[in-house]
């Protein structure tokens, strides 16, 4: 059974906790950026934060710097959604892995009705008779946001494994995220936010992996924290006009139990004995010394 704990502020003395083994060893990485926020007033769903994985061989005493990106902040009515912030890992002799923040959703009939580009693209806001396109996703990280349906329904934000749906009678659904078992259990990350629509209709559903629901006849919701999910778009006229915030990202490291040094900063959650692996989950920025 995994043993959980929080270890922070490690020092050179932490190497005494190593269970055994010398020389380089492999670490698996999952790097998820912050999700974009939804657009305000019949706004598109926020795009999911970029999703990337990597396995790299590290030398002893290599310092791995971890940055965890925030989700895009909530937006008022008739305002374009905000992009999420990037997450990354970096270190000497390590290939830097950066995941791009999700694109903010478009807003109703404004100068920027199309969704922003990002890790996954934001959904387009309702275009007042036009059908703008969603933002573009970053290849290898996420997918495009959905287009809008004229002045009625906004598109869903893109997700790690699927594009956002175009707005139709309800708001467009957010694209689905991608499942990872790096923690020992299957968890889905980086789902797109649902698009908003008129208050007489149903808002788009958020994509699996933390995407928030879009507003319509009911309120919208934020992207789930530490999944990189996009926020739900706002409704209109009346109702919940604001676009909800995107979910903060996460960075996860997994390595053999016998190789784990015990030296960290930033207080990640530490689980040992996960099928012979030690798993570090960073919900904020920090570091690990191999």
């Amino acid at each position: 059974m995994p043993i959980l704990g929080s270890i922070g502020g490690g020092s050179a003395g932490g190497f005494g906790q190593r269970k055994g083994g010398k020389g380089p060893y492999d670490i698996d990485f999952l790097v998820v950026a912050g999700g974009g926020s939804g657009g305000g007033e019949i706004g598109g769903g926020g795009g999911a934060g970029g999703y990337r994985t990597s396995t790299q061989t590290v030398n002893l005493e290599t310092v791995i710097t971890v940055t965890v990106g925030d989700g895009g902040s909530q937006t008022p009515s008739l305002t374009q959604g905000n992009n999420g912030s990037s997450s990354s890992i970096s270190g000497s002799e390590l290939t830097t892995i950066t995941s791009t923040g999700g694109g903010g959703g478009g807003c109703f009939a404004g100068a920027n009705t199309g969704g922003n580009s990002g890790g996954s693209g934001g959904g387009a806001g309702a275009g007042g008779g036009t059908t703008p396109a969603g933002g573009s996703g970053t290849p290898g990280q996420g997918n495009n946001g959905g287009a809008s349906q004229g002045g009625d329904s906004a598109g869903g934000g893109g997700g790690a494994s699927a594009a956002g749906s175009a707005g139709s009678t309800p708001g467009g659904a957010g694209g689905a995220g991608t499942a990872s078992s790096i923690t020992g259990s299957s968890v889905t990350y980086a789902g797109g936010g649902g698009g908003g629509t008129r208050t007489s209709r149903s808002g788009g559903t958020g994509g699996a992996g933390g995407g928030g629901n879009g507003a319509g006849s009911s309120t919208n919701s934020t992207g789930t924290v530490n999944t990189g999910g996009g926020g739900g778009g706002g409704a209109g006229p009346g109702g919940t006009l604001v676009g909800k915030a995107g979910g903060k990202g996460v960075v996860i490291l997994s390595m053999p139990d016998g190789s784990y040094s015990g030296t960290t900063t930033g207080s990640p959650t530490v689980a040992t004995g996960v099928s012979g692996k030690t798993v570090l989950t960073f919900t904020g920025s920090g570091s690990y010394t191999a």
Side-chain angles (χ1 to χ4, degrees):
M1 180 176 182
I3 301 173
L4 299 175
S6 182
I7 299 176
S11 64
F15 287 109
Q17 300 180 42
R18 194 188 304 274
K19 296 180 180 179
K22 297 180 180 180
Y25 58 94
D26 289 345
I27 299 181
D28 297 324
F29 299 95
L30 172 64
V31 182
V32 181
S37 61
E41 191 162 346
I42 317 186
Y51 176 105
R52 297 187 69 186
T53 60
S54 174
T55 299
Q56 299 191 48
T57 302
V58 300
N59 292 315
L60 300 186
E61 302 188 29
T62 295
V63 178
I64 301 168
T65 300
V66 173
T67 301
V68 178
D70 289 324
S73 59
Q74 178 171 296
T75 54
S77 175
L78 295 178
T79 303
Q80 188 88 357
N82 295 307
N83 285 17
S85 299
S86 297
S87 295
S88 65
I89 56 148
S90 63
S92 176
E93 301 180 3
L94 193 73
T95 299
T96 297
I97 301 295
T98 301
S99 293
T100 304
C107 63
F108 175 75
N112 296 304
T113 52
N116 290 344
S117 296
S120 281
T130 65
T131 53
S136 298
T138 302
Q141 298 189 31
N143 291 277
N144 297 345
S148 74
Q149 183 200 47
D152 293 322
S153 295
S161 67
S165 297
S168 56
T169 300
T178 296
S180 170
S181 296
I182 191 171
T183 62
S185 300
S186 180
V187 178
T188 303
Y189 302 89
T197 188
R198 294 187 177 276
T199 52
S200 58
R201 301 178 177 182
S202 299
T205 56
N213 294 327
S217 55
S218 58
T219 59
N220 51 357
S221 54
T222 60
T224 303
V225 67
N226 299 131
T227 67
T240 305
L241 300 177
V242 300
K244 292 293 188 176
K248 189 174 185 177
V250 67
V251 174
I252 303 175
L253 284 59
S254 175
M255 68 207 74
D257 282 331
S259 298
Y260 174 56
S261 71
T263 304
T264 67
T265 66
S267 301
T269 298
V270 180
T272 60
V274 182
S275 299
K277 299 289 187 72
T278 295
V279 178
L280 279 63
T281 301
F282 287 86
T283 57
S285 299
S287 68
Y288 169 67
T289 301

